[in-house]
Amino acid sequence: MKILFICHGNICRSPMAEFILKALVKAKGLEEFYYIESAAVSTEAVGEPIYPPAKRSLSQHGVWFSNEKRARQVTREDYDRFDRLICMDTSNLRLIKRIIPDDPKKKIHLLMSYTGTGRDVADPWYTGDFETTFQDILQGCEAIIQGPQG
């Protein structure tokens, strides 16, 4: 399963999701079955590292992350490279259509749709609440692993 997490800038929520899911997959011994990355719908932060408060949140929960991670924008080619493109909020869903106008294989989803709620993951860039964001993402990632594979 190749998963691409997507948020606005790829410096908070989507890299948090990338490394949270990688940690869950590793803990369950499922690494060989998953390939996980993250990207942005915007170009605003391309080349930037993970936002320091997002790094702190991951560290506080014992989630390893790579300091080499840099923000990148999602590309049209990502649609063919990944099995699922998972957005953090409805704004991301709307903006990704500028890059990937069609989703014939139904690969594009909201993260929280895996939990049955379909709500947005609040953007901690604006809320400052990285703990709530972490818990939402953790819940979504756990649901991905527990759901049907494929």
Side-chain angles (χ1 to χ4, degrees):
M1 175 71 54
K2 294 180 180 175
I3 296 174
L4 181 66
F5 287 109
I6 299 162
C7 71
H8 186 78
N10 192 215
I11 58 171
C12 293
R13 293 173 295 171
S14 61
M16 288 174 74
E18 174 183 345
F19 291 106
I20 289 169
L21 186 58
K22 284 179 177 178
L24 291 172
V25 162
K26 183 175 183 174
K28 292 185 178 285
L30 300 172
E31 292 167 294
E32 67 182 283
F33 302 108
Y34 286 87
Y35 177 80
I36 306 155
E37 281 188 31
S38 62
V41 288
S42 79
T43 59
E44 293 171 26
V46 168
E48 295 293 320
I50 301 171
Y51 190 51
K55 287 182 182 181
R56 275 194 298 279
S57 178
L58 292 169
S59 292
Q60 288 167 352
H61 289 279
V63 175
W64 177 88
F65 58 87
S66 171
N67 279 313
E68 303 305 310
K69 171 68 182 171
R70 293 291 180 266
R72 74 169 183 89
Q73 187 180 32
V74 67
T75 66
R76 175 66 186 91
E77 292 74 29
D78 286 327
Y79 190 81
D80 297 324
R81 291 183 49 225
F82 290 90
D83 301 310
R84 294 185 187 163
L85 291 84
I86 302 176
C87 296
M88 297 294 126
D89 64 33
T90 50
S91 172
N92 305 153
L93 283 177
R94 193 171 51 255
L95 292 172
I96 199 170
K97 289 180 181 172
R98 294 179 182 173
I99 302 163
I100 303 169
D102 299 311
D103 182 15
K105 296 182 181 176
K106 306 293 183 220
K107 293 182 176 188
I108 302 172
H109 308 263
L110 264 181
L111 175 60
M112 297 310 284
S113 68
Y114 291 90
T115 68
T117 65
R119 64 181 170 78
D120 290 353
V121 173
D123 191 340
W125 181 262
Y126 299 105
T127 67
D129 185 355
F130 284 83
E131 181 59 25
T132 296
T133 298
F134 182 94
Q135 294 302 326
D136 282 351
I137 293 169
L138 178 61
Q139 183 183 8
C141 288
E142 287 173 338
I144 288 170
I145 288 182
Q146 293 168 359
Q149 304 300 312

